[in-house]
Structure formats: C-alpha cells, structure tokens
C-alpha cells in the first residue's frame, strides 16, 4: 500500500469554454468535477497504474462529502480522510479550447484546529507502518503548523518508510531538513529554496539541505534529477499543449511507483515524463490519457549529466 497525504484536499472543477476573454460572459461547453488536491491526484494516478493506495488528509462540509463520494468510485483506493469543521476548498480550472491553455483559481481551504491536527497525527501514525511509501503533497491549510511536513517525514522515517515531499515555500524548507527520500520542486520552488537560478547547481544545493534525491520539474524542458546514483535530464519528444492541472502530480506518482517497484532512475524518469505529458493531453484536470502515455514511453529522452563541481 502507498499512503498519500493531502492536508488541503479540494474538489477540482473544470469548465471548458470556446475562448476565454477578460471582461466578458462565457458559455461553458462542459463541466467536470473530480476529487483534487495534489495527494489525491497522485493517488488516482497510482491506482490507475495498479497500485493499492490509501488517502488521508482533511475533508469537511458539503464539498468534502462530494470529494469522498467521488473517491468511492476509484478502484484500489481506500479513504482514510480525517473530518474537520470547515468546508473543503474548490479549485476552478477554465480550459480555453481555442488556445489550449488553462486558467486556474484556487481557494485557500478550511482553518484546521489544534484538536483536528492532533486527530490527524494519530491517524497518520496508525497508517504509516503498513505503507510501502508515503507521499506528502501540496499546500498547508490555515491552522496547520508550518513545520508539519517535517514532523510527518520524521514519523515515516522512524518506521522505515520512504517519503516523497512535494510542497513549496517554508513548508518545503523545513521539510527538506527532515531528510525525505525524494523532493519534487518546480523551477520556481527550487530557486526560492536555494537562491540559485541554475537548475543543476540548485539540485545539488537541495540535496545538501537534506533530500536524498531531488527531481526538479523544468516545464517544457522536462525533468532534472539529482540522485545518489547520478544525475539525469528527461524530456518529452515534442512540446505538449493542454490542461497542465495535475501534471506535476503525475510526476510524483511515477516517482513513487518506480520507488516501490525498485526501478532504476532512468526508467522512473521515463515514466514520469510520459505520465506528465499524458496528463496535459487529458481534457479533465488530474487525469491522464492512457493511449498517449503508452505511446510516449518509447519516445522519452533520458540523458546522464556530468556531476556538478
């Protein structure tokens, strides 16, 4: 079982419009809703890849009930979400059919009380020993301590369970010091963490701060991985256009599945690029196009980098 943690779960709503223009009214051609938040997106992809997944985090209100109702339809996924008094947030993706671009609107999430945070920690401590790996993903909702991920990493490591961390800002800075096995920042998050705009140097710095391996998402340039076994760049065969919502979460799912399957790093990165690109091509936030994924697996380029000085 793989455990994914989404402290700030969401209901992802995607609106499709012919052409998105400011200061005008739009007729929506299609509406879709999916359970969201980074960890739930990771869990759905892992389940689609055939892994058993347990999801935990917070859920509340009518939106939270909708999220949990939708999770019951996902084969291989177990719901261990912890209730809170405030309502689960919504995220709105507006997909422009003409340009292929997407505009994203994210609500902040409910305020978590100290009692609710304590209840979550107790549940998490019960779940971790049964996990093959843990994913800690996304933003912290109001009320959760900024060092929350660092504590959750230490709990997993004490149980001998590897951890992937995918967050940003101070939560990333504190979390990386707890020595997660993998961190997955994007280029901006990596630069903010290290102060360097040169990705190869920045990944080296991020590893010195505590991460065993760093896999940086560099947008159209693909992925840069710095690991104990070496450094690699991975890129899709062509530029990919579409809805990017959940593409980074598909990278995290690929890295986790590769970790528990004990794949070599080039194979993990090939899977990550193919899944990410197939997610962008999907019309629905946080899903992936399986035919595109299988086609891309044979066409991803992975090259080894020389060590940084």
């Amino acid at each position: 079982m793989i455990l994914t943690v989404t402290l700030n779960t969401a209901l992802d709503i995607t609106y499709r419009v012919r052409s998105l223009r400011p200061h005008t009214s739009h007729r929506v051609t299609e509406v879709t809703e999916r359970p969201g938040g980074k960890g739930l997106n990771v869990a759905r992809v892992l389940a689609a890849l055939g892994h058993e997944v347990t999801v935990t985090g917070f859920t509340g209100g009518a939106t939270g009930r909708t999220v949990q109702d939708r999770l019951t339809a996902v084969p291989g996924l177990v719901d261990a979400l912890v209730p809170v008094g405030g309502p689960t947030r919504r995220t709105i993706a507006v997909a422009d059919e003409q340009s292929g671009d997407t505009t994203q609107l994210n609500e902040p999430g409910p305020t978590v009380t100290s009692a609710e945070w304590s209840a979550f920690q107790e549940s998490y401590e019960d779940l971790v020993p049964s996990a093959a790996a843990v994913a800690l993903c996304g933003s912290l909702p109001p009320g959760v301590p900024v060092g929350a991920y660092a504590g959750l990493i230490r709990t997993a490591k004490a149980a001998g369970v590897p951890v992937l961390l995918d967050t940003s800002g101070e939560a990333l800075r504190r979390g990386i010091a707890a020595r997660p096995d993998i961190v997955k920042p994007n280029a901006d998050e990596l630069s903010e963490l290290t102060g360097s705009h040169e990705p190869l140097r920045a990944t080296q710095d991020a590893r010195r701060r505590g991460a065993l391996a760093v896999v940086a998402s560099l947008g159209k340039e693909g992925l840069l991985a710095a690991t104990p076994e070496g450094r690699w760049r991975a890129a899709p065969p062509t530029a990919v256009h579409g809805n990017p919502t959940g593409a980074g979460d598909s990278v995290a799912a690929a890295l986790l599945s590769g970790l528990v399957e004990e794949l070599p790093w080039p194979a993990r990165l090939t899977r990550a690029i193919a899944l990410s690109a197939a997610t962008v091509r999907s019309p629905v936030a946080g899903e992936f196009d399986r035919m595109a994924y299988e086609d891309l697996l044979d066409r991803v380029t992975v090259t080894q980098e020389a060590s940084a000085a």
Side-chain angles (χ1 to χ4, degrees):
M1 178 268 284
I2 298 175
L3 178 65
T4 72
V5 176
T6 314
L7 296 178
N8 212 2
T9 55
L11 181 66
D12 286 343
I13 304 169
T14 301
Y15 295 136
R16 297 185 66 82
V17 298
R18 299 294 184 194
S19 177
L20 181 62
R21 293 172 294 163
H23 316 302
T24 64
S25 297
H26 295 78
R27 184 174 296 278
V28 176
T29 60
E30 183 181 4
V31 181
T32 56
E33 294 184 347
R34 293 289 187 278
K38 295 179 73 65
L40 294 189
N41 290 338
V42 171
R44 281 206 313 278
V45 174
L46 285 168
L49 292 173
H51 290 275
E52 293 184 358
V53 190
T54 296
V55 297
T56 189
F58 295 115
T59 183
T63 307
R65 288 191 293 274
T66 300
V67 167
Q68 292 184 284
D69 288 345
R70 298 296 176 89
L71 288 175
T72 61
V74 182
L77 190 149
V78 174
D79 175 1
L81 293 166
V82 176
V84 293
T88 294
R89 66 189 177 125
R90 297 163 297 176
T91 67
I92 311 297
V94 184
D96 185 323
E97 295 176 351
Q98 185 173 11
S99 69
D101 293 330
T102 301
T103 299
Q104 190 79 16
L105 303 172
N106 298 329
E107 295 179 356
T111 298
V112 176
T113 67
S114 58
E116 290 166 343
W117 174 236
S118 295
F120 168 79
Q121 290 177 289
E122 292 178 6
S123 175
Y124 176 78
E125 290 171 2
D126 290 340
L127 291 166
V128 163
S130 300
V134 172
L136 304 174
C137 302
S139 61
L140 301 177
V144 172
V146 71
Y149 283 139
L152 299 180
I153 291 167
R154 286 190 287 268
T155 297
K157 300 287 280 186
V161 179
V163 182
L164 178 145
L165 176 65
D166 184 8
T167 188
S168 60
E170 189 63 20
L172 173 59
R173 189 179 306 278
R174 297 201 187 190
I176 201 172
R179 306 186 67 80
D181 295 83
I182 304 172
V183 294
K184 195 207 70 62
N186 61 32
D188 290 340
E189 292 162 351
L190 185 63
S191 177
E192 181 184 2
L193 173 69
T194 65
S196 173
H197 294 280
E198 201 292 302
L200 197 61
R201 186 178 301 277
T203 53
Q204 174 82 354
D205 187 13
R207 286 199 66 212
R208 283 197 295 265
R209 290 168 185 259
L212 185 64
V214 179
V215 181
S217 297
L218 305 180
K220 295 179 181 179
E221 297 179 19
L223 300 173
L224 173 63
T227 80
E229 289 78 34
R231 298 170 175 273
W232 288 272
R233 288 185 186 267
T238 58
V240 181
H241 301 284
N243 184 354
T245 306
D249 305 327
S250 289
V251 171
L255 297 175
L256 275 171
S257 63
L259 172 66
V260 300
E261 294 171 28
E262 300 182 343
L263 297 180
W265 272 101
R268 299 186 202 184
L269 297 172
T270 295
R271 181 179 290 180
I273 288 289
L275 268 178
S276 176
T279 300
V280 173
R281 290 187 181 181
S282 173
V284 178
E287 305 291 340
F288 71 92
D289 183 320
R290 186 171 289 276
M291 290 185 63
Y293 166 61
E294 293 173 355
D295 173 65
L296 286 162
L297 278 173
D298 294 327
R299 300 194 293 123
V300 174
T301 301
V302 180
T303 56
Q304 190 157 17
E305 292 280 327
S307 296

PDB file of all heavy atoms in Angstrom, residues 10 17 33 44 80 84 88 120 130 133 140 146 169 206 222 241 246 252 271 298:
ATOM      1  N   ALA A  10      -9.329  19.122  -2.147  1.00  0.00           N
ATOM      2  CA  ALA A  10     -10.145  20.044  -2.940  1.00  0.00           C
ATOM      3  C   ALA A  10     -11.113  19.265  -3.812  1.00  0.00           C
ATOM      4  O   ALA A  10     -10.936  18.073  -4.066  1.00  0.00           O
ATOM      5  CB  ALA A  10      -9.248  20.921  -3.820  1.00  0.00           C
ATOM      6  N   VAL A  17     -14.480  26.321 -22.179  1.00  0.00           N
ATOM      7  CA  VAL A  17     -15.103  27.402 -22.948  1.00  0.00           C
ATOM      8  C   VAL A  17     -14.434  27.462 -24.313  1.00  0.00           C
ATOM      9  O   VAL A  17     -13.301  27.007 -24.494  1.00  0.00           O
ATOM     10  CB  VAL A  17     -14.970  28.764 -22.224  1.00  0.00           C
ATOM     11  CG1 VAL A  17     -15.685  28.735 -20.871  1.00  0.00           C
ATOM     12  CG2 VAL A  17     -13.511  29.158 -22.039  1.00  0.00           C
ATOM     13  N   GLU A  33     -16.125  17.411 -12.558  1.00  0.00           N
ATOM     14  CA  GLU A  33     -15.698  17.517 -11.161  1.00  0.00           C
ATOM     15  C   GLU A  33     -14.932  16.259 -10.773  1.00  0.00           C
ATOM     16  O   GLU A  33     -15.345  15.145 -11.116  1.00  0.00           O
ATOM     17  CB  GLU A  33     -16.904  17.678 -10.229  1.00  0.00           C
ATOM     18  CG  GLU A  33     -17.667  18.973 -10.406  1.00  0.00           C
ATOM     19  CD  GLU A  33     -18.792  19.122  -9.397  1.00  0.00           C
ATOM     20  OE1 GLU A  33     -19.137  18.114  -8.723  1.00  0.00           O
ATOM     21  OE2 GLU A  33     -19.341  20.228  -9.287  1.00  0.00           O
ATOM     22  N   ARG A  44      -4.942   8.886  -7.452  1.00  0.00           N
ATOM     23  CA  ARG A  44      -5.725   8.384  -8.579  1.00  0.00           C
ATOM     24  C   ARG A  44      -4.827   7.826  -9.676  1.00  0.00           C
ATOM     25  O   ARG A  44      -5.132   6.795 -10.286  1.00  0.00           O
ATOM     26  CB  ARG A  44      -6.625   9.493  -9.146  1.00  0.00           C
ATOM     27  CG  ARG A  44      -7.877   9.741  -8.349  1.00  0.00           C
ATOM     28  CD  ARG A  44      -8.983  10.326  -9.191  1.00  0.00           C
ATOM     29  NE  ARG A  44      -8.539  11.420 -10.030  1.00  0.00           N
ATOM     30  CZ  ARG A  44      -8.402  12.681  -9.610  1.00  0.00           C
ATOM     31  NH1 ARG A  44      -8.656  12.993  -8.357  1.00  0.00           N
ATOM     32  NH2 ARG A  44      -7.995  13.629 -10.425  1.00  0.00           N
ATOM     33  N   ALA A  80      -9.122   7.297   3.979  1.00  0.00           N
ATOM     34  CA  ALA A  80      -8.847   7.442   5.414  1.00  0.00           C
ATOM     35  C   ALA A  80      -8.759   8.927   5.781  1.00  0.00           C
ATOM     36  O   ALA A  80      -7.991   9.316   6.662  1.00  0.00           O
ATOM     37  CB  ALA A  80      -7.557   6.718   5.789  1.00  0.00           C
ATOM     38  N   VAL A  84     -12.952  17.623   9.372  1.00  0.00           N
ATOM     39  CA  VAL A  84     -12.754  18.927  10.022  1.00  0.00           C
ATOM     40  C   VAL A  84     -14.058  19.709   9.939  1.00  0.00           C
ATOM     41  O   VAL A  84     -14.942  19.386   9.148  1.00  0.00           O
ATOM     42  CB  VAL A  84     -11.611  19.738   9.371  1.00  0.00           C
ATOM     43  CG1 VAL A  84     -10.268  19.069   9.599  1.00  0.00           C
ATOM     44  CG2 VAL A  84     -11.856  19.943   7.877  1.00  0.00           C
ATOM     45  N   THR A  88     -14.189  21.830   2.783  1.00  0.00           N
ATOM     46  CA  THR A  88     -13.132  21.573   1.810  1.00  0.00           C
ATOM     47  C   THR A  88     -13.194  22.628   0.704  1.00  0.00           C
ATOM     48  O   THR A  88     -14.271  23.056   0.282  1.00  0.00           O
ATOM     49  CB  THR A  88     -13.304  20.159   1.228  1.00  0.00           C
ATOM     50  OG1 THR A  88     -13.075  19.213   2.272  1.00  0.00           O
ATOM     51  CG2 THR A  88     -12.367  19.903   0.074  1.00  0.00           C
ATOM     52  N   PHE A 120      -5.494  14.068  13.255  1.00  0.00           N
ATOM     53  CA  PHE A 120      -4.845  13.616  12.019  1.00  0.00           C
ATOM     54  C   PHE A 120      -3.524  12.912  12.326  1.00  0.00           C
ATOM     55  O   PHE A 120      -3.222  11.850  11.763  1.00  0.00           O
ATOM     56  CB  PHE A 120      -4.589  14.779  11.067  1.00  0.00           C
ATOM     57  CG  PHE A 120      -3.681  14.390   9.942  1.00  0.00           C
ATOM     58  CD1 PHE A 120      -4.176  13.680   8.862  1.00  0.00           C
ATOM     59  CD2 PHE A 120      -2.319  14.656   9.991  1.00  0.00           C
ATOM     60  CE1 PHE A 120      -3.335  13.255   7.854  1.00  0.00           C
ATOM     61  CE2 PHE A 120      -1.468  14.241   8.984  1.00  0.00           C
ATOM     62  CZ  PHE A 120      -1.984  13.541   7.910  1.00  0.00           C
ATOM     63  N   SER A 130       2.021   0.365   7.748  1.00  0.00           N
ATOM     64  CA  SER A 130       1.530  -0.539   6.701  1.00  0.00           C
ATOM     65  C   SER A 130       1.866  -0.054   5.297  1.00  0.00           C
ATOM     66  O   SER A 130       1.536  -0.738   4.317  1.00  0.00           O
ATOM     67  CB  SER A 130       0.008  -0.700   6.818  1.00  0.00           C
ATOM     68  OG  SER A 130      -0.351  -1.245   8.070  1.00  0.00           O
ATOM     69  N   ALA A 133       5.395   3.255   0.936  1.00  0.00           N
ATOM     70  CA  ALA A 133       5.955   4.592   0.731  1.00  0.00           C
ATOM     71  C   ALA A 133       4.880   5.608   1.080  1.00  0.00           C
ATOM     72  O   ALA A 133       3.686   5.284   1.092  1.00  0.00           O
ATOM     73  CB  ALA A 133       6.411   4.788  -0.710  1.00  0.00           C
ATOM     74  N   LEU A 140      -0.319  23.756   2.855  1.00  0.00           N
ATOM     75  CA  LEU A 140      -0.839  23.548   4.202  1.00  0.00           C
ATOM     76  C   LEU A 140      -2.064  24.435   4.395  1.00  0.00           C
ATOM     77  O   LEU A 140      -1.989  25.643   4.155  1.00  0.00           O
ATOM     78  CB  LEU A 140       0.217  23.902   5.249  1.00  0.00           C
ATOM     79  CG  LEU A 140       1.527  23.122   5.188  1.00  0.00           C
ATOM     80  CD1 LEU A 140       2.489  23.653   6.252  1.00  0.00           C
ATOM     81  CD2 LEU A 140       1.288  21.637   5.358  1.00  0.00           C
ATOM     82  N   VAL A 146       3.625  25.261  10.256  1.00  0.00           N
ATOM     83  CA  VAL A 146       4.444  25.342   9.056  1.00  0.00           C
ATOM     84  C   VAL A 146       5.470  24.216   9.003  1.00  0.00           C
ATOM     85  O   VAL A 146       5.924  23.824   7.922  1.00  0.00           O
ATOM     86  CB  VAL A 146       5.123  26.724   8.957  1.00  0.00           C
ATOM     87  CG1 VAL A 146       6.213  26.872  10.012  1.00  0.00           C
ATOM     88  CG2 VAL A 146       5.683  26.968   7.561  1.00  0.00           C
ATOM     89  N   GLY A 169       7.738  26.778  -0.539  1.00  0.00           N
ATOM     90  CA  GLY A 169       7.922  27.803   0.483  1.00  0.00           C
ATOM     91  C   GLY A 169       8.565  27.283   1.760  1.00  0.00           C
ATOM     92  O   GLY A 169       9.429  26.399   1.740  1.00  0.00           O
ATOM     93  N   ALA A 206      19.983  21.587  -3.005  1.00  0.00           N
ATOM     94  CA  ALA A 206      18.823  20.990  -2.341  1.00  0.00           C
ATOM     95  C   ALA A 206      19.172  19.649  -1.703  1.00  0.00           C
ATOM     96  O   ALA A 206      18.695  19.321  -0.618  1.00  0.00           O
ATOM     97  CB  ALA A 206      17.669  20.826  -3.336  1.00  0.00           C
ATOM     98  N   GLY A 222      11.390  19.623 -19.332  1.00  0.00           N
ATOM     99  CA  GLY A 222      11.292  18.288 -18.743  1.00  0.00           C
ATOM    100  C   GLY A 222      11.730  18.241 -17.302  1.00  0.00           C
ATOM    101  O   GLY A 222      11.394  19.119 -16.503  1.00  0.00           O
ATOM    102  N   HIS A 241       0.772  20.575 -25.322  1.00  0.00           N
ATOM    103  CA  HIS A 241      -0.179  21.635 -25.012  1.00  0.00           C
ATOM    104  C   HIS A 241      -1.454  21.019 -24.450  1.00  0.00           C
ATOM    105  O   HIS A 241      -1.844  19.917 -24.813  1.00  0.00           O
ATOM    106  CB  HIS A 241      -0.510  22.447 -26.268  1.00  0.00           C
ATOM    107  CG  HIS A 241       0.694  23.088 -26.897  1.00  0.00           C
ATOM    108  ND1 HIS A 241       1.285  24.213 -26.381  1.00  0.00           N
ATOM    109  CD2 HIS A 241       1.421  22.722 -27.980  1.00  0.00           C
ATOM    110  CE1 HIS A 241       2.325  24.541 -27.126  1.00  0.00           C
ATOM    111  NE2 HIS A 241       2.438  23.657 -28.108  1.00  0.00           N
ATOM    112  N   GLY A 246      -2.487  18.949 -12.541  1.00  0.00           N
ATOM    113  CA  GLY A 246      -2.199  17.581 -12.150  1.00  0.00           C
ATOM    114  C   GLY A 246      -0.997  16.967 -12.827  1.00  0.00           C
ATOM    115  O   GLY A 246      -0.608  15.849 -12.488  1.00  0.00           O
ATOM    116  N   ALA A 252       4.961  12.919  -9.589  1.00  0.00           N
ATOM    117  CA  ALA A 252       5.122  12.355  -8.244  1.00  0.00           C
ATOM    118  C   ALA A 252       4.649  10.907  -8.201  1.00  0.00           C
ATOM    119  O   ALA A 252       5.295  10.041  -7.593  1.00  0.00           O
ATOM    120  CB  ALA A 252       4.356  13.198  -7.231  1.00  0.00           C
ATOM    121  N   ARG A 271       8.964   7.117 -17.101  1.00  0.00           N
ATOM    122  CA  ARG A 271       7.561   7.006 -16.695  1.00  0.00           C
ATOM    123  C   ARG A 271       7.014   8.372 -16.283  1.00  0.00           C
ATOM    124  O   ARG A 271       5.871   8.712 -16.618  1.00  0.00           O
ATOM    125  CB  ARG A 271       7.427   6.009 -15.553  1.00  0.00           C
ATOM    126  CG  ARG A 271       5.992   5.811 -15.072  1.00  0.00           C
ATOM    127  CD  ARG A 271       5.917   4.785 -13.948  1.00  0.00           C
ATOM    128  NE  ARG A 271       6.197   3.435 -14.420  1.00  0.00           N
ATOM    129  CZ  ARG A 271       6.194   2.359 -13.631  1.00  0.00           C
ATOM    130  NH1 ARG A 271       5.930   2.479 -12.340  1.00  0.00           N
ATOM    131  NH2 ARG A 271       6.442   1.165 -14.133  1.00  0.00           N
ATOM    132  N   ASP A 298       8.004   5.007 -25.157  1.00  0.00           N
ATOM    133  CA  ASP A 298       9.112   4.614 -26.038  1.00  0.00           C
ATOM    134  C   ASP A 298       9.820   5.809 -26.671  1.00  0.00           C
ATOM    135  O   ASP A 298      10.792   5.619 -27.406  1.00  0.00           O
ATOM    136  CB  ASP A 298       8.592   3.692 -27.152  1.00  0.00           C
ATOM    137  CG  ASP A 298       8.093   2.359 -26.617  1.00  0.00           C
ATOM    138  OD1 ASP A 298       8.660   1.887 -25.615  1.00  0.00           O
ATOM    139  OD2 ASP A 298       7.138   1.813 -27.197  1.00  0.00           O
TER     140      ASP A 298
END
